C-alpha cells in the first residue's frame, strides 16, 4: 500500500488507483457513481473531470472526497469530514451539489454553510434502493434501447425530466451543450431505454453509472398525461431485467423520500432500501 505522505488531505493520482478502488468497491452500491468514473478513466484530474481528495492521517488512505461538479464524501470519518470541509472552504465553492450518505453530507454541510451561502434546495433524505434479482412483475415488452437516430425524439423528455427533478433547466449556463453530449453518450453506449409510440416518449430511463459490480438507474420519467397507470412499474421491470442480464449484477438508484409513488413503484419491481443519501443543491 502506497504511503501518501505527511499531509492529511491531498489530491490523488493514478499511483493511488488500486487503494482508491479498494475503498470504493468495499461499498459498490453506495459508491457506484464515483466508482464508475475511476474504473473508467482513473484518477488523473483531466480525465476524471474532478479531483479526488484522499484523507490519510497516518499516511494510510482511509477516506475520499470526489471534488468536481458534485462534492461527494466517501467512507468519510468525522475527522475526514472536517479536513475535507476545510479544503473546500479554502478553495471556495466549485460544485453544483454535495451528495452522499445523509449523516456525512449533513455534517459536511453544517461546516460549509456559513461560508457557501444559502443553497437552492436541500434534499435531506433520499433512500438508496437496490435489487439483484429479476423483477417479480412482467417487464414492458415495448421498452428497448434507444437508437441514435431517435435522439431528437428522446431529448425533450430528458430535458423535461431533468427540469422537473432538479428544478432548473439543463440548458442554463452553457445552453445545454454538456447535457446534449451526455444524453448522446448514453444512447451510443446502449444505456438509454425508452418506450416510444408514434414519435412520443411514453417512458424512459438511463443507466448513468456502471462498475463491474453495480449500475445506477437515473432519469426515470413517464409522460405526465399517462402517469398513474403503472407504466413506470413495467418500464422499470424491463430496464432491470436487461441491466441484470447485460450490465451488472446489482441495479441501484436513489429517490427523494417524499416521492412516495416512485418509491412504491420501485418496491413493486423488487428494489429494497439499503442506505439514505442527502443532497445539497446550489
Amino acid at each position: 500500500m502506497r504511503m501518501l505522505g505527511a499531509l492529511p488531505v491531498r489530491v490523488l493520482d493514478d499511483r493511488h488507483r488500486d487503494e482508491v478502488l479498494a475503498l470504493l468497491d468495499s461499498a459498490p452500491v453506495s459508491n457506484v457513481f464515483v466508482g464508475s468514473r475511476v474504473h473508467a478513466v482513473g484518477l488523473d484530474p483531466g480525465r476524471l473531470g474532478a479531483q479526488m481528495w484522499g484523507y490519510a492521517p497516518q499516511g494510510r488512505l482511509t477516506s475520499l472526497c470526489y471534488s468536481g461538479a458534485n462534492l461527494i464524501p466517501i467512507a468519510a470519518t468525522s475527522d475526514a469530514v472536517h479536513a475535507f470541509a476545510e479544503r473546500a472552504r479554502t478553495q471556495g465553492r466549485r460544485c453544483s451539489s454535495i451528495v452522499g450518505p445523509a449523516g456525512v453530507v449533513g455534517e459536511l454541510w453544517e461546516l460549509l454553510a456559513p461560508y457557501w451561502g444559502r443553497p437552492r434546495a436541500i434534499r435531506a433524505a433520499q433512500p438508496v434502493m437496490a435489487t439483484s434479482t429479476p423483477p417479480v412483475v412482467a417487464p414492458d415488452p415495448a421498452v428497448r434501447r434507444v437508437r441514435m437516430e431517435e435522439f431528437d425524439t428522446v431529448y425533450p423528455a430528458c430535458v423535461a425530466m431533468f427540469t422537473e427533478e432538479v428544478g432548473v433547466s439543463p440548458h442554463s449556463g452553457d445552453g445545454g451543450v454538456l447535457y446534449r453530449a451526455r444524453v448522446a453518450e448514453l444512447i451510443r453506449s446502449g444505456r438509454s431505454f425508452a418506450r416510444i409510440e408514434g414519435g412520443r416518449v411514453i417512458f424512459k430511463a438511463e443507466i448513468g453509472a456502471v462498475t463491474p459490480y453495480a449500475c445506477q438507474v437515473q432519469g426515470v420519467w413517464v409522460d405526465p398525461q399517462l402517469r398513474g397507470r403503472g407504466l413506470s412499474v413495467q418500464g422499470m421491470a424491463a430496464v432491470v431485467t436487461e441491466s441484470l442480464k447485460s450490465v451488472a449484477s446489482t441495479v441501484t438508484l436513489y429517490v427523494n423520500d417524499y416521492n412516495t409513488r416512485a418509491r412504491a413503484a420501485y418496491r413493486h419491481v423488487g428494489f429494497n432500501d439499503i442506505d439514505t443519501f442527502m443532497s445539497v443543491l446550489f
Side-chain angles (χ1 to χ4, degrees), residues 3-4 13 43 55 58 86 91 103 116 126 136 142 155 158 162 177-178 183 186 190 205 207 225 256 270-272 278:
M3 297 291 288
L4 294 183
D13 57 33
L43 291 168
Y55 179 70
Q58 306 298 325
E86 178 61 21
Q91 74 172 20
W116 281 12
Q126 297 175 299
V136 295
Y155 185 70
C158 296
F162 186 100
V177 173
L178 289 177
V183 172
L186 291 173
I207 301 173
Q225 296 181 354
N256 293 315
F271 285 87
N272 295 301
M278 173 178 174

Side-chain angles (χ1 to χ4, degrees), residues 146-148 180-192:
V146 176
R147 298 186 292 269
M148 197 61 214
R180 287 180 66 88
R182 177 58 173 163
V183 172
E185 175 191 1
L186 291 173
I187 294 174
R188 279 194 295 267
S189 63
R191 288 157 51 185
S192 175

Side-chain angles (χ1 to χ4, degrees), residues 151-227:
F151 177 91
D152 289 337
T153 299
V154 171
Y155 185 70
C158 296
V159 172
M161 177 283 306
F162 186 100
T163 305
E164 182 178 340
E165 171 63 24
V166 180
V168 296
S169 170
H171 291 168
S172 61
D174 67 356
V177 173
L178 289 177
Y179 190 68
R180 287 180 66 88
R182 177 58 173 163
V183 172
E185 175 191 1
L186 291 173
I187 294 174
R188 279 194 295 267
S189 63
R191 288 157 51 185
S192 175
F193 295 83
R195 175 177 173 176
I196 302 172
E197 296 180 356
R200 177 187 185 186
V201 176
I202 305 300
F203 164 90
K204 73 150 200 87
E206 294 89 37
I207 301 173
V210 176
T211 75
Y213 312 103
C215 64
Q216 184 179 70
V217 177
Q218 65 178 37
V220 181
W221 183 87
V222 174
D223 185 317
Q225 296 181 354
L226 301 174
R227 292 176 185 175

Side-chain angles (χ1 to χ4, degrees), residues 131-140 232-245 251 265-271:
T131 181
S132 299
T133 59
V136 295
V137 297
D140 184 344
S232 63
V233 173
Q234 288 190 300
M236 280 297 295
V239 173
V240 169
T241 297
E242 184 56 35
S243 298
L244 292 175
K245 183 187 304 182
V251 183
Y266 300 148
R267 288 197 185 97
H268 196 178
V269 174
F271 285 87

